[in-house]
Amino acid sequence: MDSIIRARDIQREFGDIRVLEGLDLDVRPGEFLAIVGRSGAGKSTLLAILGTHDLDHGGRLEISGRDTALLSPPELAALRREYLGFVFQDFHLLPELTALENVILPAVFSGRDLGTARTQAAEVLSRLSIRADETPTTLLSRGERQRVAMARGLANGPSVLMADEPSASLDAESEQTLFNLLDDLRREQGFALIAVIHSRAVLERADRVLELRDGILHEVD
Amino acid sequence: MKWTETRTALHLWNRGHWRDYVFSQGMLFVASLLLVFFIAIGLGVQNLLDRFLSTDLPAEQVRVTPSGVQAGFFQTESGGVEITEEARNELESSLLVQRIDPQIYARVPAYLKGLLGGQPYYTDITLEGVTGQFLGDSLLKDIDWSYTLADSADRFLPIILSENLLLLYNAGFAEPNDLIGLTPEGVLGIECTVTLGMSSIAEMDRPPITVRARIEATSRNMNLFAIGVPFEFVDQVNSMYIPDGTRRYSALVVTAKRAEDVPEIVRLVEEMGLRAETRRGIAQKAEILVGSVTAALSALAGAILLSALSSAIHTLVMDLRNRRFALGVLMALGTPHNRLAMIFAFQILFMSALTMILGAALGCLLAWGASSALLSLSSVLRVSVDSLAVFPIGWLAAGTGFMLLISTGIAYVFFGRILRTPVTRLLRP
Ligand SMILES: Nc1ncnc2c1ncn2[C@@H]1O[C@H](COP(=O)(O)OP(=O)(O)O)[C@@H](O)[C@H]1O
Ligand SMILES: [Mg+2]
């Protein structure tokens, strides 16, 4: 089966610091790919590049067979909308909005049917144990905000969900619950999951584990 | 995009930012208000100056006056070279001259008495005899400008009032005495008496003569205390009171055959030691004054336009800069650029246009209010102009439109740059 994401010789440097040094990666549809690496290894940098949020990199990135270097900003936006879901390490929720509003935000601005979007969002939120009430997300706990960000990342029905340390603020039990749910959703919707993971328990669920070291990815058994 | 979705989108976009948004639109409102207010008032003031300094003198005429004596700022009308019969004849013999309309002062004391604005009014005056041409053809049709003492029994002496005297009446008399001011139109037809051979400070051997008079016209080309009356009447009075005096003209209005000959006539007049005023000369003097006021007003208008413009630009750009992060989030979520452009079009283009139009409208209203207030306070102004504010719709629209176009244009460029910025950079704190 064709890769949904194909990255070749990806390089990224910040001034003198070379973070990624010619990295290759293929993401196959539906797989769970875990990325590990010490802090500062460049995991977030890699996800930003794969998510087409960072365009200042060397090498070649193809998403669904299309070379991202050849796409205009609006075409990239369309690509993200169609194929990619993203959960930021710092969530990046709009603080003034409620959980439900944050989740339906992509739908609202994409002109999708609001009623359907709301129903779907409410369902995902309830499966993630988040109340769909009037509380602005600034007032939610870190774990709750993380789950809202997860729900928002899934809102457009992506082919790939990228999550940067999605269980960082969760206790072991909540972490297992979250990944059980992600497994269910993945079975239902068939999206691939690329997640930066630290917890050993979660790594066991992954189809592949890749370690980011010295600017490239190494398979871990 | 359907309206409900657009509304929801705008609602979510502005959640928690309404205050900033209303504030920034308020800045635009004030900027356009100030701009329009100052254009309207500035042009009004210029109008007022123009009105004060304008002249009725046609282009082909030269007004010849005695050279007088210059003492500091003051220019007396006697003591220098006087306009004699010979001077008149010399000018009249020039081939360039088509016609000469003489003016002459009555050399007897005189005063005017009447009911002005319903109140008794008295003032010493100087009578200046002018020919019918002074009135202009349109007025001459309606006014019989021939009058001698023989007519005093059955006709009114037709008189021309100096508009300067009206100003003096309004400011110096009506205002302190709580009377209503008079306008040039308002005094037409008012009847009064003119007494010759006596004033508040002088008396002659002959008993004074009083004739009934009626104000038939007003003029801006007369001296402050001069009352224009038919030439022949003054001539008659002068020879009656001063039988052995020679004729001295107060002014000669020389009409050239062709307007191009005016400079030549001016040279001739100045060679004779007399003063020559032309429309261009007066206009040049006025131009210097109006020019400097205009320059000052333009500089002020420029400064206001510039500060209004930069405040509008700053406001709009800051609005966008403050929302960089939110735009980054929307872009990360794959929001189509045309939806973002829709937000921009509504929030910035449409709302700013609306705000600036409202601001401009209020600016007009305030200028009108300020003008009305000032006019109601000062009858001097009321006589001079109908309004202190001028509303050249084209210019006001152009000023507001320019500001809108430039500020939203720059905001649009800024917005476009945000859309081309990689998401990571927008999300970086
Ligand atoms: N915008 C940036 N400017 C300069 N250095 C950066 C920037 N972003 C990341 N880095 C550096 O790149 C390295 C990798 O960062 P990151 O990808 O966040 O690591 P990780 O997510 O693996 O902890 C770090 O040394 C970090 O300081
Ligand atoms: Mg990281």
Side-chain angles (χ1 to χ4, degrees):
Chain A
M1 209 177 200
D2 279 349
S3 309
I4 178 85
I5 294 181
R6 216 172 104 92
R8 290 291 175 270
D9 194 24
I10 300 294
Q11 301 146 32
R12 181 66 164 108
E13 46 200 60
F14 299 104
D16 294 338
I17 317 167
R18 291 163 62 90
V19 179
L20 303 179
E21 305 193 55
L23 167 156
D24 295 340
L25 176 66
D26 289 273
V27 180
R28 289 182 282 275
E31 74 169 326
F32 177 6
L33 205 141
I35 292 177
V36 296
R38 57 168 183 76
S39 171
K43 304 179 294 295
S44 296
T45 303
L46 174 62
L47 281 197
I49 291 171
L50 298 179
T52 73
H53 299 165
D54 180 3
L55 306 173
D56 303 325
H57 61 83
R60 181 183 170 91
L61 174 67
E62 284 174 19
I63 293 173
S64 186
R66 303 177 70 188
D67 185 349
T68 55
L70 304 178
L71 300 179
S72 66
E75 287 169 330
L76 282 174
L79 200 74
R80 286 197 286 273
R81 187 164 68 247
E82 203 167 334
Y83 297 106
L84 308 180
F86 213 93
V87 184
F88 294 93
Q89 196 168 354
D90 302 322
F91 322 135
H92 293 340
L93 298 173
L94 294 188
E96 304 88 0
L97 304 189
T98 66
L100 186 75
E101 285 164 346
N102 263 292
V103 176
I104 63 168
L105 204 59
V108 168
F109 279 90
S110 302
R112 294 212 328 251
D113 181 61
L114 270 184
T116 326
R118 223 174 238 130
T119 321
Q120 283 174 354
E123 196 205 311
V124 177
L125 281 174
S126 83
R127 285 171 78 169
L128 288 165
S129 317
I130 300 288
R131 297 181 312 275
D133 61 12
E134 293 303 307
T135 321
T137 46
T138 22
L139 300 180
L140 298 181
S141 77
R142 204 179 146 77
E144 283 170 324
R145 274 184 283 152
Q146 197 157 38
R147 279 172 286 154
V148 174
M150 182 75 73
R152 188 182 64 183
L154 289 167
N156 276 339
S159 304
V160 183
L161 180 68
M162 303 180 191
D164 200 348
E165 309 195 18
S167 51
S169 359
L170 301 185
D171 55 71
E173 195 190 323
S174 307
E175 183 177 53
Q176 289 302 326
T177 315
L178 176 69
F179 278 91
N180 284 339
L181 179 64
L182 275 175
D183 282 345
D184 290 348
L185 288 169
R186 222 148 46 80
R187 256 194 306 281
E188 289 163 29
Q189 300 177 13
F191 57 86
L193 175 63
I194 310 177
V196 175
I197 305 283
H198 289 301
S199 142
R200 222 163 260 291
V202 177
L203 286 177
E204 280 165 11
R205 297 167 175 262
D207 297 318
R208 284 196 291 157
V209 178
L210 300 172
E211 184 186 2
L212 183 55
R213 183 166 22 94
D214 302 329
I216 53 170
L217 289 169
H218 306 266
E219 294 266 359
V220 176
D221 298 318
Chain B
M1 205 167 179
K2 278 177 283 172
W3 171 236
T4 44
E5 279 146 23
T6 308
R7 222 179 45 197
T8 311
L10 286 168
H11 183 66
L12 295 185
W13 175 252
N14 286 309
R15 171 83 57 80
H17 295 271
W18 284 114
R19 196 184 297 216
D20 290 346
Y21 185 62
V22 168
F23 179 77
S24 65
Q25 290 292 317
M27 297 277 290
L28 294 185
F29 186 80
V30 171
S32 54
L33 184 152
L34 282 179
L35 181 70
V36 164
F37 181 83
F38 277 98
I39 290 180
I41 293 290
L43 289 176
V45 167
Q46 205 182 352
N47 214 22
L48 178 70
L49 268 180
D50 263 351
R51 172 80 203 245
F52 269 131
L53 298 170
S54 66
T55 166
D56 299 342
L57 208 60
E60 67 282 358
Q61 287 190 349
V62 181
R63 198 174 135 90
V64 180
T65 50
S67 64
V69 169
Q70 184 92 34
F73 280 118
F74 299 101
Q75 171 89 39
T76 67
E77 296 240 329
S78 63
V81 177
E82 293 195 290
I83 308 176
T84 57
E85 204 65 49
E86 296 82 70
R88 177 183 172 172
N89 289 339
E90 191 181 333
L91 281 174
E92 212 143 39
S93 64
S94 163
L95 292 174
L96 305 173
V97 170
Q98 184 181 47
R99 199 184 69 226
I100 290 183
D101 297 305
Q103 289 173 218
I104 189 170
Y105 282 129
R107 296 159 83 177
V108 291
Y111 66 83
L112 176 144
K113 226 168 94 176
L115 289 177
L116 282 185
Q119 290 295 316
Y121 185 63
Y122 168 100
T123 182
D124 287 349
I125 51 169
T126 301
L127 289 179
E128 187 169 19
V130 299
T131 59
Q133 273 72 24
F134 187 87
L135 292 171
D137 293 339
S138 56
L139 276 178
L140 202 55
K141 273 203 319 259
D142 307 323
I143 303 167
D144 181 0
W145 197 247
S146 64
Y147 186 95
T148 60
L149 280 173
D151 297 316
S152 62
D154 43 48
R155 278 183 54 212
F156 286 101
L157 168 70
I159 63 178
I160 306 171
L161 211 59
S162 158
E163 283 185 19
N164 291 327
L165 184 65
L166 270 187
L167 291 183
L168 191 80
Y169 171 84
N170 285 331
F173 183 75
E175 230 163 55
N177 290 296
D178 258 349
L179 300 174
I180 51 160
L182 295 171
T183 62
E185 297 73 28
V187 295
L188 292 186
I190 287 185
E191 292 165 12
C192 51
T193 61
V194 169
T195 301
L196 300 158
M198 188 173 164
S199 73
S200 61
I201 52 170
E203 210 168 319
M204 299 195 84
D205 298 337
R206 281 182 66 103
I209 308 168
T210 296
V211 300
R212 291 175 305 143
R214 182 160 60 202
I215 301 167
E216 298 286 9
T218 60
S219 169
R220 266 182 263 158
N221 281 345
M222 304 214 31
N223 289 314
L224 180 57
F225 285 105
I227 299 272
V229 294
F231 183 85
E232 51 192 344
F233 176 66
V234 172
D235 217 22
Q236 183 188 24
V237 169
N238 277 347
S239 53
M240 218 164 82
Y241 279 88
I242 314 154
D244 50 349
T246 51
R247 216 189 225 173
R248 295 276 183 275
Y249 294 100
S250 60
L252 298 176
V253 178
V254 179
T255 305
K257 286 191 177 127
R258 300 178 311 161
E260 304 93 271
D261 297 331
V262 164
E264 186 58 38
I265 294 176
V266 168
R267 209 171 51 234
L268 191 65
V269 169
E270 284 172 351
E271 268 171 18
M272 293 162 67
L274 296 170
R275 263 195 303 160
E277 266 176 23
T278 59
R279 173 151 81 176
R280 187 186 293 168
I282 295 172
Q284 270 167 358
K285 269 191 240 161
E287 232 163 55
I288 294 170
L289 188 60
V290 175
S292 44
V293 171
T294 302
L297 283 176
S298 307
L300 193 66
I304 284 165
L305 179 66
L306 218 70
S307 68
L309 189 63
S310 53
S311 116
I313 293 171
H314 178 78
T315 299
L316 292 181
V317 166
M318 278 315 279
D319 244 13
L320 283 173
R321 179 164 296 168
N322 290 337
R323 308 308 305 278
R324 254 171 84 96
F325 172 79
L327 279 169
V329 169
L330 287 178
M331 282 165 66
L333 297 173
T335 305
H337 282 206
N338 58 359
R339 308 280 176 205
L340 296 176
M342 182 282 300
I343 296 189
F344 176 86
F346 183 82
Q347 293 261 132
I348 300 216
L349 267 180
F350 177 73
M351 288 307 287
S352 302
L354 202 67
T355 299
M356 287 194 198
I357 288 171
L358 288 178
L362 189 66
C364 284
L365 207 68
L366 283 184
W368 178 81
S371 156
S372 308
L374 283 171
L375 287 187
S376 77
L377 286 178
S378 160
S379 42
V380 179
L381 291 178
R382 210 156 50 236
V383 172
S384 309
V385 283
D386 296 332
S387 168
L388 263 182
V390 172
F391 302 102
I393 299 299
W395 283 106
L396 296 179
T400 315
F402 175 75
M403 200 162 88
L404 181 69
L405 205 75
I406 298 289
S407 58
T408 54
I410 289 180
Y412 185 74
V413 169
F414 191 79
F415 178 72
R417 249 184 29 205
I418 290 183
L419 291 194
R420 285 191 305 276
T421 305
V423 172
T424 33
R425 251 183 269 165
L426 297 178
L427 295 180
R428 210 175 286 153

